[in-house]
């Protein structure tokens, strides 16, 4: 029977468990892994009935219910898996402790079950690196989890992802200036270039890492498509929107006092990004030869631009 054959084919492939599979990063990884015949994908989501989950099933993933708070769930999600892609979401709960707890639960379970390769969406522990001068909880928690994976001896690669291009359509989109004749792209980077990448281009890079474990086990990999100043991002946005978008050169101090939730933390993040953490553009292009520049990304997202 064809279903038996499908099951046997699935069993012969290495299973990769992907957490956060209906989110931006996890979804990108699921799609990329399904484009190769090397792996079977176990897509983990909290709600297997939602349209995004059904769409992954239609693409060929096995969609399984998961919960990073539950030891039993995580054990079932990892059972029999060769590899794991883990992304945790600080901004769901704004709790550093919770994010660390979730990461450590996956690490402990992966260790116990003998998972061969974990790719973790990590970041630097800014607090540790700056001797406590800067705290960026959504970086620091991932940095602690990274270290924990390596300390307990789990074969893990950390992918440290740059600023998402997609942020320019949402959290950090250009804002109309008070005089109304232009828009401001207010990011406190001064003239320091900032690395960026589309979240959709992360998946193929992660797939390449799973395909070459020996080159990447035990290492951090900084993913970036290109690095540009805020002025350059503004110029490219202007070109594609037909609007006049400028870099108002906002200071870190002023940005931290803007008063929106998390403004201080983001000011600290930009302060850290001004120190140019290690993101490897050349390696990113090797891992995903089709990775797009900001200019290409905007060309392919005309609908999103209309809503800016």
């Amino acid at each position: 029977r064809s279903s038996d054959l499908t099951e046997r084919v699935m069993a012969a492939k290495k299973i990769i468990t992907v957490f956060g599979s209906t989110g931006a990063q996890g979804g990108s990884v699921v799609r990329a892994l399904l484009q190769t015949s090397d792996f079977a994908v176990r897509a983990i989501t909290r709600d297997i009935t939602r349209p995004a989950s059904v769409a992954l099933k239609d693409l060929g993933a096995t969609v399984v219910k998961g919960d990073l708070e539950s030891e039993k769930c995580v054990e079932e999600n990892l059972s029999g898996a060769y590899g794991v892609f883990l992304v945790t979401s600080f901004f769901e709960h704004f709790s550093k402790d919770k994010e660390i707890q979730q990461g450590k639960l996956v690490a402990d379970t992966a260790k116990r079950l003998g998972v061969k390769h974990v790719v973790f969406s990590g970041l630097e522990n800014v607090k540790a690196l700056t001797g406590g001068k800067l705290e960026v909880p959504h970086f620091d928690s991932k940095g602690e989890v990274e270290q924990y994976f390596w300390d307990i001896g789990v074969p893990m690669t950390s992918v440290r992802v740059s600023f998402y291009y997609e942020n320019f359509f949402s959290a950090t989109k250009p804002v109309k200036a008070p005089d109304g004749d232009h828009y401001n792209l207010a990011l406190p980077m001064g003239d320091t270039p900032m690395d960026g990448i589309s979240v959709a281009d992360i998946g193929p890079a992660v797939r390449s890492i799973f395909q070459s474990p020996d080159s990447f086990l035990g290492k951090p990999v900084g993913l970036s498509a290109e690095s540009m100043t805020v002025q350059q991002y503004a110029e490219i946005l202007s070109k594609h929107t037909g609007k006049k978008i400028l870099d108002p050169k906002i200071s870190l101090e002023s940005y931290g006092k803007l008063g929106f939730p998390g403004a201080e933390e983001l000011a600290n993040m930009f302060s850290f990004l001004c120190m140019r953490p290690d993101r490897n553009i050349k390696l990113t292009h090797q891992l995903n030869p089709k990775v797009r520049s900001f200019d290409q990304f905007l060309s392919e997202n005309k609908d999103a631009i209309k809503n800016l």
Side-chain angles (χ1 to χ4, degrees), residues 19 43 64 97 111 118 129 134 140 143 151 174 188 223 231 236 269 272 287:
F19 286 96
V64 178
D97 291 342
K111 171 85 173 167
V118 175
L129 287 173
L134 293 174
D140 300 346
D151 284 349
L223 295 179
Q231 171 92 31
I236 293 170
M269 178 192 80
F272 176 66
L287 292 169

Side-chain angles (χ1 to χ4, degrees), residues 90-91 94 171 255-267:
F90 174 87
F91 293 106
F94 292 91
Y255 191 90
K257 289 178 181 162
L258 286 176
F260 63 84
E264 277 183 56
E265 180 186 342
L266 286 183

Side-chain angles (χ1 to χ4, degrees), residues 21-23 45-56 63 92:
S21 64
T22 55
T45 178
R46 278 179 306 207
D47 180 1
I48 61 173
T49 61
R50 60 188 287 203
S53 305
V54 176
L56 294 180
V63 180
E92 267 179 25

Side-chain angles (χ1 to χ4, degrees), residues 90 96 99-100 136-146:
F90 174 87
K96 183 178 168 182
E99 188 166 39
I100 291 169
V136 186
H138 78 277
F139 272 59
D140 300 346
S141 48
K142 292 179 184 70
E144 274 195 47
V145 171
E146 270 188 6

Side-chain angles (χ1 to χ4, degrees), residues 61-307:
T62 303
V63 180
V64 178
K65 188 174 168 55
D67 177 3
L68 283 169
E69 303 288 305
S70 160
E71 214 170 302
K72 183 172 178 283
C73 252
V74 171
E75 175 119 12
E76 286 169 2
N77 295 162
L78 266 57
S79 179
Y82 158 82
V84 173
F85 175 76
L86 174 64
V87 57
T88 51
S89 181
F90 174 87
F91 293 106
E92 267 179 25
H93 42 70
F94 292 91
S95 165
K96 183 178 168 182
D97 291 342
K98 191 177 238 189
E99 188 166 39
I100 291 169
Q101 195 183 331
Q102 290 178 348
K104 284 184 172 180
L105 175 58
V106 174
D108 290 337
T109 310
K111 171 85 173 167
R112 193 170 64 251
L113 296 178
V115 171
K116 296 285 188 286
H117 193 179
V118 175
V119 176
F120 171 55
S121 183
L123 283 166
E124 289 86 354
N125 185 339
V126 176
K127 188 178 179 182
L129 287 173
T130 61
K133 285 198 187 79
L134 293 174
E135 279 193 59
V136 186
H138 78 277
F139 272 59
D140 300 346
S141 48
K142 292 179 184 70
E144 274 195 47
V145 171
E146 270 188 6
Q147 200 53 53
Y148 185 78
F149 267 107
W150 287 324
D151 284 349
I152 67 168
V154 175
M156 188 275 281
T157 306
S158 177
V159 288
R160 296 172 178 169
V161 177
S162 302
F163 195 82
Y164 290 174
Y165 292 156
E166 285 78 2
N167 290 338
F168 290 110
F169 296 148
S170 56
T172 56
K173 69 181 180 184
V175 176
K176 199 162 208 168
D179 61 15
D181 86 325
H182 70 279
Y183 288 77
N184 284 325
L185 184 63
L187 302 177
M189 291 292 296
D191 294 320
T192 306
M194 180 176 76
D195 286 288
I197 194 168
S198 165
V199 69
D201 290 335
I202 293 164
V206 169
R207 179 183 63 205
S208 293
I209 289 168
F210 274 123
Q211 288 171 324
S212 317
D214 294 348
S215 304
F216 300 106
L217 281 172
K219 293 176 187 170
V221 175
L223 295 179
S224 169
E226 65 181 335
S227 185
M228 296 192 295
T229 62
V230 175
Q231 171 92 31
Q232 289 171 311
Y233 282 111
E235 285 167 5
I236 293 170
L237 277 164
S238 298
K239 179 180 114 177
H240 286 273
T241 58
K243 304 273 195 318
K244 187 177 173 187
I245 299 169
L246 304 175
D247 170 13
K249 301 284 185 205
I250 189 168
S251 71
L252 285 160
E253 194 182 1
S254 300
Y255 191 90
K257 289 178 181 162
L258 286 176
F260 63 84
E264 277 183 56
E265 180 186 342
L266 286 183
N268 284 347
M269 178 192 80
F270 285 115
S271 184
F272 176 66
L273 294 181
C274 285
M275 299 173 191
R276 301 305 312 272
D278 186 28
R279 303 289 179 261
N280 192 327
I281 294 169
K282 189 177 171 194
L283 177 59
T284 304
H285 282 254
Q286 287 166 355
L287 292 169
N288 178 6
K290 291 181 178 170
V291 68
R292 291 164 298 172
S293 67
F294 188 50
D295 194 30
Q296 287 170 307
F297 168 77
L298 290 179
S299 298
E300 292 172 23
N301 283 276
K302 290 199 167 33
D303 287 347
I305 287 171
K306 277 183 205 147
N307 300 326

